[in-house]
Each structure stands twice: as C-alpha cells, then as structure tokens.
Amino acid sequence: MPRESPIFSKLKPVVAPPAELNPISQYYVIGKHVGSAGPELVWRIYDALKKSEKKESSLFIFEKRVADKIHKPKRKETITDILRFSARQLDRFKHPKLLTLFHPVEETCDILAFATEPVFGSLANVLGCLEDRLPQNLPPTIREYDFMPIEIKYGLLQLTEGLSFLHYSCKLIHRNICPQSVIINKRGTWKLAGLEFTERCDDTGTMNSVPCQPFTSKLPKMAQPDLDFTAPEVQMSSTCSPYSDMFSLGLLICAIVNNGRSLIEANLSSSTYSKQLDLLEQNLHEILDRVPHHLQEPLQSLLNVDPRRRPNAQNFSMIKYFTDPSIHALQYLDVIQMKDSTHKSHFYHSLKGALPNIPRKLWYQHVLPSLQSELQSPEVLAAALQPLLFIVEESTADEYQTLILPMFRSVFGMPKSVQATVTLLENLDIIMRKTPKADIKADVLPMMYTAFDSTTPQIQSAALHALAQVADFLEENAVRKMILPRTKQVFDSHSGTKVQANALICIEKVIDKLEKTDILDEVLPMLNKARLQDPTILMPVVRIYKHMLGDKRYGLTVNHLASKVMPALIPVVVSPGLNLNQFNCLVELLQEMLNYVSRSQKNKLKLEKLSMASMENHNIEQTTGYPHRPPCLRLESRRTSISMDDVIRQTCSSTSSSPDSNLLRVQATLPGRRHSDNTIQPPRILVAPSSPENSLSRGPSAGNMQMRRHSSANPQDIKFQFIAPKPISPASLGIDYFTSGRGGRRYSATALYNTVGGAGLSPAGSSTSLLKQLGSGVQQLFSSK
C-alpha cells in the first residue's frame, strides 16, 4: 500500500548514540533508523536534518564494532577501507542515477558516517533479502511497501542508465549489482550505490574483460560482492567486464519478481554456486511467467552464460519494455534541475498529459518535489502550474491540505508573471473546491483584490472570471465599492467578447450583494449596452434578467421591461448564432416578461375600473338624496317599502268602482316623496298604542311616532278591536299633523290609524271605511286651502 511521503513529514530529532561523537553530528540532527545497505547490510541509514539549511537528509553510519568478531585486525581494517572507498567514489562520480552525496565521509575511531539525499531504504530492505541471516529492526512502512509495475519499470531503467554512466563515462565496472547496492530515495527513485568493489575497464576496449577477485571463503563476506548475484565468468575464470554487471542486473530482476530470492542461492559457498549455475535455465523458466511480456526475452539474453551474447547497458535501455511516456517523464524530472528555463517550461506543459498514466503515489513522491522547486522561479512558474493544478484537481481534500497547500501558499502572495497570474486565476475554481474557508480569506481573496488593481487587460479579464468562483466569500462592502466599479470599468473599456462576457458573469454572481440603487445606476445600463447578438454575452444577460424577475427588490419595473428590455431582446430570437438551448432560454425569458407585464397591467386596469365605478356610485347617491350612504357601499337590489304614500297610490290606481279610489289624489299633494330601501314582502303595519279618545293632534302618542317609517309586523298577526266609528273631520285630523316639520315628511299609516281611532271600525268594512274617510278628509283639507 502507498506510504505517506516523508518529504513533508516532520523529522523528530533523536540523537543516535553511535554517531554522537562523530564530527558529522555538528552539522546534522540525527533521527530514527529507517534502513540498511551495503555488503551484508553494514551501513545503517538514519533520517537527518541539516542544521544550517533545515534540509532533509539521510546519514549512512558504519559502526566498526560490527567487525569485532573478525579476529584478524588487518581484515577489520580492510572492511573499513572498502566502505570508506565506497563513500569517496560517490563523492567523486556524481550523476542523477547515482546516490547523491550531501556531506563527505567523516571518520572517528569507532564510526564512519556520511550524508546523502533523503533515503527511504534499500531495495534489500523492501524485498526482505538476507532477513533470515541478518534480521533488521526496520519500521513497518518499509516492510509493508509493495512496488507498483511502473515503479519497477522506472527503477530498472534508472539502474540501467546508471550502469551506462559507469561503463562508458567513468570506465568502471560495478561488480556488485544486488539489492543491497540499490537505494530508494524518498521520491521513489532507485539510485545506484555500493561502489565498494568497482574495477577499472580495460584501456584498450571498454567491453573487454579484466582480472578480478572471485568470491572466496578466505575473506570476510562483508569484504566481498554478494555471491548470489555474481556473474559466472567472475567466479569461474576470475575475469569481469561491463557484461558481468548486466548478468547481475538480470539476477536482480529475477529477485524482484521472486520475492527477493535470486535464481542462484549459493549460501556463501563456491561449490554450491557451481551447482546452482547449472540449474539457472530451469529456474528461469519457472518464474518467467511472472516477468512482464516485453521483458521476458531481454531477461533471457541478460542471463546468457556467454558474456558476448548479453546486451550492453545502452542497448538494454532501448528495449520496448521501457518505451513508456510516463517513464520518460519521470526520468526527465530527475535531471530537470540541470535544464534551462525554456526546456523546463516546455517539459512542464507536456507533463500534464503524462500525469494520468503515472500512479498517484508517484505524484506525491516524485512529481511534487520537482514542482516545488519551480514554484519559486517566476520564469517557470506559469508552466509548472499546469501539472500542479491537475494534481490539485485529482487529489482528495485531505491530500491537498496536507501535501500541496503548504507549498502552494507561497504562490498566492509572491510576484508572478502575467501568464502565471492568468493561469492561477482561470483555474481558481479547482483550488476553491479543496481550500479551507480560512485559507480562502487569508490567501486567495488578497490575491484576487490585487489582480483587480492590475491594469493588464489579461489579468483583469481573468480576475473577472475568477470572481465568480469566490463570490460567496466576498463581503458586500467590497463588492459595492471595489468589485462593481472595476467590473463596470472593464466592461466599458473593452469591447472584446470574452471580457464583456466575464464581466456580466461576474455581475450575475454578485448581484445578490448589491443594493437597488446599484442595480438601477450601474447594472441596468451595462445590460442595455451589452451586444446581445453574441450568444456568449446574451446568455449571462438572460440569466441576470431571469434572476431579477423573481424579486421586486431589484427594481425591474414594467415600464422598463416593456420599453427597453423586451424591444432589445425580441430581435435576438431570430439570430442565426443561437443554438436550440440558447433559443429556448431566451424565449422562456421573454414569455415570463410578457406574463409579468400582462399581470401588472390587468391588475392596474381592474383597480382603475373599480375606482371609476365607485366614483359614479358616489355621484348617483348624492343626486338621489342619499348623502349618508358610504361611497363604496354597493346594493345588489333596490328594496322599497310600503308607506302612507304607497297606500294612497295603490288605492288611487285601483278600479273606479273601488270605494278607496279617492286616495289617488294624495300623491299629487305630497311631492318629493322618498321610498325606503327596506323591502317587505307583504305590508306590515304595526299598530301604535292609542286611545279612542285621543285625536290626531300632536299628543304624547303622536309625538313618539313622528320619525317612525315602516312597520315590520305581519298584517296577519294584527288583531283589531273595532269600536263604532266617530265622524272624522279635517279639523279632527289635525292639520298640523300633515304640515308641520320638514318637507318630504314621512307619514305612517299606523299613526294615522291610531289617531282616527281604528277601534270604531266594524270588522267587515273596517279597511274600506277607514280609507274612504281618510280620502274624503284629505280632499276637503287641500280643497279648502
């Protein structure tokens, strides 16, 4: 499973007691033990931190007491000489494929130590080689580490190119290619080390054989190459050549796919080695199906007993197995620091396309460290941001905040080129999705405000685009006083489609943070100036209008819609530049606007109609004598009641034979008669209490009934007590009864009935006699006048 990259981990200083008295402890803080390497794993590897530069490193420490069991002092000194020589060789021959030395070897009577680049461990530690004979107390991370296929491919290519450098540039034969000599740094790169037993190549021909010392039991095993990875010619004929290293490389490949076990397990015995060599071809066929397809045939060539049939390092590096763009990208990262800015920029642009084929583990182990060093270079920053932003987009929030953001923070505030600034702003949405809110306000927003202050059109346009991503984090005051004026300025001063579209998108995102006056004074004029024929500009305008229609606080009035907005949008419907989706959005908006205008106008006209009707009713009521009626009162039907006038009119309109016909004359003598609004179905006459002795003069009883209009009693419920009638004369009726008070006075038949003494009427002719006498008396009254 992928390990956590120690590149970003904090070193916990722990002084290693063996190196406490070594001079190297003056320069480095020594941490925990992480691995081992070298012949018989005699080098112990520790994490370290350089004190002066706070630079992460590793220390290789050899404790001389390990060789105390060798009784011969001369042999003990030989082991020290060999290990010292190895460290000096690394200092002498520097190459990206070899382990990088940071500090030369320091020696005391007890310790040999030197510092290198940060190291994860040796290949032997990961494969578990020599674990049965030399158990190592190593951290669990290295025990649980599993190689991915691309890591193996990349590692083998690294070793092949390292050998090519030694063979052709340094004229050296390594002689000890084995898992103990391969170091894996913390970027995941395999580095060649273990130069203890190197031999010079033949001066007459690099690939010619030279004499060498075979493995023997007479020498300490830690002072000799690993017999399990030794070429046959070395052991059988005491000669070696660069082809011998290629045979050892073939055995190393077999050990990687065979759980760390070589095809030759000699157990430190020369005789056993010879027997195992005879079984080499058989053992190879047993594991060949575990080897990648394109590596099987080259591997068989490497393990050929005849050295001349083996490929050299240069030829082996060009086999189809290594033809992989991802591998070459990782290789270039190892040497990119030696390239100029132009080559770096060109490579980083192409690296983005190779990243999908590189495992995520290698992004953090290998790619990010290279990018980190480029983030401080303004010339290369714009190109380096391309693969970095891809990694940010594909990483989880935890990976981003833990591994990427710490080195990304410096980019926000540092001076950047125009291209770098534009690249960062245009991809700000990628960063926003992973960055915590606190870091957005502390790092991202200040960079945004600085970009708005720029006078470079490209940066202004990119800032408008980026603003849409951070709109939710902006304060209203900043939007109104800085963002809106600068956006309007950019919109007015640039006629480019992209700039104006970005400005409108910016307005769309921040419109909810604006006041109504800002919208009326700034936003609506911008919308009126927009070139609506261009779909790129049209769609933000459509979305803004659609948003404003949903809330009255934006100040989008009916008059503005009908007179300015819709006349500008309607011609765009037939624009040939619109696709189907854009056309549908525009038509939908126009339909909403038309519905909005229609509803508003209908409501307005209805209110005006009601107001006019109310005014007319009020005027009619004033002309018909109803000043007391409220102006808004509406009567569904006119209801009239039967009063004294009604009785007279109905009586007079009856047939001439009726004895009550004289009552018709009453209406002519009583002009301005008003009808009541109360309608009763049958006439209801309530008989007021009276006495036969009382006359029609205005006595107490009559005074109490002056304003009485109509009765609500049912005629069927009235019970009359008839008394013999008395003669009625106009004088007895009381002329003041009819003439006193206001003009248009109402008369109650009930009151009149009480006055004339209805108790005197006979049951049979009571109604007719009463009306007849009443009609005669009234006629005499007016005719006498």
Side-chain angles (χ1 to χ4, degrees), residues 560-776:
H560 187 79
L561 283 175
S563 61
K564 294 184 178 180
V565 179
M566 294 181 68
L569 290 175
I570 289 175
V572 188
V573 174
V574 294
S575 173
L578 297 181
N579 59 33
L580 181 59
N581 291 335
Q582 294 166 346
F583 172 81
N584 290 337
C585 291
L586 178 58
V587 171
E588 182 181 350
L589 173 66
L590 288 171
Q591 188 63 49
E592 289 184 17
M593 288 181 173
L594 185 60
N595 293 339
Y596 179 75
V597 173
S598 175
R599 287 194 305 268
S600 299
Q601 287 300 104
K602 282 183 180 179
N603 293 336
K604 179 180 178 181
L605 294 174
K606 285 181 180 179
L607 290 176
E608 290 179 355
K609 182 178 180 181
L610 290 176
S611 178
M612 293 292 295
S614 176
M615 292 290 295
E616 291 175 1
N617 291 338
H618 179 69
N619 294 336
I620 291 173
E621 289 172 1
Q622 287 184 342
T623 57
T624 55
Y626 285 83
H628 61 280
R629 179 179 294 171
C632 296
L633 179 63
R634 298 181 62 191
L635 299 177
E636 296 298 331
S637 63
R638 181 63 61 100
R639 304 175 64 188
T640 59
S641 64
I642 296 179
S643 62
M644 184 65 185
D645 300 329
D646 302 324
V647 175
I648 295 173
R649 185 171 59 254
Q650 293 176 6
T651 305
C652 294
S653 63
S654 61
T655 61
S656 59
S657 61
S658 173
D660 302 324
S661 60
N662 290 334
L663 289 177
L664 288 172
R665 302 183 182 93
V666 176
Q667 185 163 353
T669 61
L670 297 174
R673 181 69 179 165
R674 190 180 67 159
H675 301 287
S676 171
D677 293 333
N678 297 325
T679 302
I680 56 176
Q681 298 299 328
R684 298 177 182 179
I685 302 176
L686 180 63
V687 179
S690 64
S691 172
E693 292 78 15
N694 293 337
S695 65
L696 288 175
S697 62
R698 297 170 65 96
S701 177
N704 292 336
M705 297 297 292
Q706 287 180 12
M707 300 302 297
R708 185 166 187 84
R709 294 178 60 188
H710 305 291
S711 172
S712 60
N714 193 328
Q716 282 81 3
D717 297 334
I718 300 176
K719 295 180 180 181
F720 294 95
Q721 182 179 3
F722 295 99
I723 308 175
K726 295 181 181 181
I728 301 176
S729 64
S732 65
L733 288 173
I735 191 66
D736 58 342
Y737 186 85
F738 293 96
T739 60
S740 63
R742 300 185 303 269
R745 181 180 181 86
R746 297 178 180 233
Y747 303 97
S748 174
T750 305
L752 181 62
Y753 176 81
N754 290 336
T755 305
V756 299
L761 299 176
S762 62
S766 60
S767 174
T768 304
S769 300
L770 173 63
L771 295 176
K772 184 176 181 181
Q773 294 179 23
L774 178 62
S776 301

Side-chain angles (χ1 to χ4, degrees), residues 142 160 471 689 780:
I142 201 168
T160 303
Q780 294 177 12

Side-chain angles (χ1 to χ4, degrees), residues 163 166-168 171-177 197-202 205-212 230-235 237-249 304-313:
L163 286 175
L166 288 178
H167 294 166
Y168 297 100
K171 306 297 181 180
L172 290 178
I173 304 170
H174 190 281
R175 285 196 63 210
N176 193 31
I177 301 298
F197 309 106
T198 58
E199 291 283 352
R200 294 290 302 179
C201 292
D202 186 26
T206 302
M207 305 307 292
N208 294 335
S209 298
V210 295
C212 65
T230 300
E233 63 272 14
V234 174
Q235 193 63 24
S237 59
S238 301
T239 59
C240 66
S241 68
Y243 292 118
S244 303
D245 288 341
M246 301 308 295
F247 185 90
S248 300
L249 179 62
N304 199 300
V305 178
D306 185 357
R308 295 293 176 177
R309 294 188 177 182
R310 301 171 195 160
N312 58 36

Side-chain angles (χ1 to χ4, degrees), residues 249-251 253-254 257 284 287-288 291 294-304 316:
L249 179 62
L251 291 176
I253 295 172
C254 294
V257 300
L284 175 60
I287 67 165
L288 202 59
V291 179
H294 293 297
L295 187 58
Q296 292 180 1
E297 185 177 346
L299 178 59
Q300 290 175 320
S301 300
L302 288 175
L303 296 179
N304 199 300
F316 186 73

